Amino acid sequence: MNTAALRDENERLKALLAQTQATLGEHQAALATSEEARRRLEVILGELRREKFGAKSEKLRPDQYHLPLEDVEIAQGVLDAAQENAAAIIQGRSRGASDQARHRNRGCLPAHLPRVERIIEPASTLCPCGCGAMTKIGEDVSERLDVIPAQWRVLVTRRPKYACRRCSGAVVQAHAPEHVVPGGLPTEAAIAQVIVAKFGDHTPFYRQAGIYARQGIRLDRATLGNWSGRACFHLQAVGDRMRRQLAAADRLFMDETTAPVLAPGRGQTKKGFFWAIVSDDRGHSGPSPPIVLFRYASGRSGAFARQFLDGFNGRFLQCDAYEGYDRLTGVARPQGPWTLVHCWSHLRRRFVKLARNSRSPIAEDAVRQIALLYAIEATVRGSSPDIRLADQQVVRVC
């Protein structure tokens, strides 16, 4: 072997050594990231263990339970990415080619979302043997969830004026449209965004102001509150219409759920309650549209249920077994007191627990019978009352 060949071999070995050292460094970095994620998980699990078994002074508040779980999920994501990166380095393949089948999400994304397709062609479609252009024999398709960030824009409205050049007497111009905030900055869509973020996504006004400031839009919380108040004034007519529709319904559903409410001056939140009043006749092909009306109350007393249902003409109220609803059975009304219709789900839950803990044959038989009723209900849901009644009579005969 001559000197030039030895020199070339030496350079090749040096390049291979450098590549091996770089790969080893990436591998060690991936393992370090994985170890850090493992330590993070151990700390979070220790906090959860201390919260469950430690002294009361060390326990978390109920509204903070979700925070450690989110940390666990984030740490798990870091750990998965580190392991995938390490596996890709060891096996000498790109990260994009690893575990494609496991992470494929085809068929899980909503069908109503628009699809934007992109085609990634090979660098060359000519046969390496020199045979010419190759023929397409198939393709791999993957779907990923993408988003276009919310984009604010300025809506410019122009109202041209027209006059007669001959007489110069008549001038015409279109009337200015009505706005929720007369002479103000926001469009109705902008106000809807603020309201949904406030009441639907529980984003306070001061946080929204910070979000909008990132796009150079300076809005203080008082302005956002004023916009929302004006919108609520105009939406009150819709709420009143919904209440009148519910008041005329013969059957209603009612339930309550907790809602944290800021307690001014205390630096913390207090417990409030949202009461939901629902009418839904779709189960028996009723003519009325489904309606849900939320009312807020500071407590869970049955007095609030009586107050919210004052003036309603319904007869049947589906609810859970909370004793606060019992006082509705003694309300003096022209159409008589409310008839409470309790929920099968709550009843089945007790039998399931009893069957699991005691293996009671009576409880197990009750669970099977209720499951049979569920199956029958699934087959007749949405049918007319006559069909539903006929199926119920068949069940009674059986």
Side-chain angles (χ1 to χ4, degrees):
M1 183 177 295
N2 55 25
T3 305
L6 290 174
R7 188 182 301 109
D8 293 341
E9 182 68 15
N10 188 26
E11 293 298 332
R12 189 182 66 81
L13 292 176
K14 286 182 179 180
L16 182 60
L17 178 61
Q19 182 181 1
T20 303
Q21 290 177 344
T23 303
L24 180 60
E26 294 179 358
H27 187 197
Q28 291 175 345
L31 290 179
T33 304
S34 177
E35 180 63 20
E36 176 63 26
R38 185 189 64 80
R39 288 196 296 266
R40 181 179 176 85
L41 286 173
E42 289 180 352
V43 171
I44 293 172
L45 291 177
E47 292 178 354
L48 291 175
R49 190 179 298 109
R50 183 168 58 254
E51 184 277 329
K52 182 174 181 61
F53 301 107
K56 291 184 178 180
S57 60
E58 297 179 351
K59 292 187 177 181
L60 298 173
R61 292 173 55 185
D63 56 354
Q64 293 178 319
Y65 287 163
H66 64 286
L67 296 178
L69 297 179
E70 291 178 357
D71 288 342
V72 170
E73 293 165 353
I74 293 174
Q76 183 62 45
V78 174
L79 182 61
D80 291 343
Q83 291 177 343
E84 292 169 2
N85 189 37
I89 293 174
I90 293 173
Q91 299 178 14
R93 53 193 173 99
S94 63
R95 288 192 301 170
S98 62
D99 297 331
Q100 288 184 355
R102 186 184 64 178
H103 295 288
R104 184 172 297 164
N105 203 30
R106 184 184 305 170
C108 297
L109 297 178
H112 70 274
L113 295 180
R115 262 61 176 176
V116 179
E117 295 191 359
R118 64 173 184 175
I119 300 176
I120 304 177
E121 294 283 2
S124 175
T125 57
L126 297 177
C127 180
C129 300
C131 302
M134 292 185 288
T135 303
K136 180 180 177 181
I137 60 173
E139 63 180 4
D140 291 335
V141 180
S142 64
E143 292 188 351
R144 297 188 300 160
L145 186 62
D146 193 21
V147 63
I148 301 176
Q151 181 180 7
W152 292 85
R153 62 184 183 180
V154 178
L155 182 62
V156 180
T157 302
R158 302 182 187 275
R159 295 185 296 123
K161 298 180 180 180
Y162 295 91
C164 179
R165 288 185 176 274
R166 295 182 178 180
C167 65
S168 300
V171 177
V172 295
Q173 185 184 31
H175 292 287
E178 296 287 341
H179 299 313
V180 174
V181 182
L185 290 177
T187 64
E188 287 67 33
I191 296 177
Q193 164 66 29
V194 173
I195 292 178
V196 171
K198 166 68 175 177
F199 299 104
D201 301 331
H202 308 289
T203 306
F205 290 142
Y206 76 92
R207 291 184 179 174
Q208 291 192 52
I211 294 172
Y212 306 148
R214 289 200 295 267
Q215 299 195 35
I217 304 173
R218 305 295 177 181
L219 298 171
D220 56 46
R221 57 193 301 178
T223 300
L224 299 177
N226 182 269
W227 293 356
S228 300
R230 289 175 176 269
C232 291
F233 171 79
H234 291 287
L235 291 173
Q236 185 61 46
V238 179
D240 293 341
R241 174 64 176 170
M242 293 172 62
R243 187 183 185 281
R244 289 194 296 270
Q245 287 286 110
L246 287 172
D250 190 47
R251 297 162 299 278
L252 294 175
F253 168 82
M254 196 171 191
D255 197 9
E256 74 289 336
T257 185
T258 59
V261 182
L262 291 177
R266 298 173 56 187
Q268 56 185 1
T269 60
K270 60 182 179 180
K271 182 185 295 185
F273 289 87
F274 274 121
W275 294 71
I277 309 173
V278 182
S279 173
D280 190 355
D281 293 341
R282 291 176 296 180
H284 54 82
S285 298
S288 301
I291 299 175
V292 54
L293 185 67
F294 290 93
R295 301 293 300 271
Y296 172 78
S298 57
R300 199 192 177 196
S301 171
F304 293 111
R306 181 172 181 176
Q307 173 188 344
F308 295 149
L309 294 178
D310 184 29
F312 281 55
N313 299 323
R315 294 183 299 163
F316 303 99
L317 181 67
Q318 182 179 354
C319 57
D320 55 24
Y322 171 52
E323 59 185 8
Y325 294 111
D326 293 341
R327 67 173 60 194
L328 296 175
T329 59
V331 176
R333 302 186 306 161
Q335 58 271 52
W338 287 93
T339 299
L340 301 185
V341 181
H342 294 297
C343 179
W344 273 108
S345 298
H346 290 80
L347 178 64
R348 179 178 181 274
R349 189 181 307 163
R350 301 296 179 90
F351 280 114
V352 169
K353 184 181 296 184
L354 181 61
R356 183 174 58 248
N357 296 336
S358 64
R359 300 295 180 182
S360 169
I362 297 178
E364 292 178 352
D365 183 66
V367 171
R368 286 192 294 269
Q369 294 297 327
I370 297 176
L372 177 61
L373 292 176
Y374 280 176
I376 296 174
E377 173 63 24
T379 61
V380 300
R381 185 177 295 116
S383 302
S384 64
D386 295 338
I387 297 177
R388 295 171 61 87
L389 180 60
D391 288 340
Q392 291 176 3
Q393 291 174 346
V394 170
V395 172
R396 292 193 185 99
V397 172
C398 295

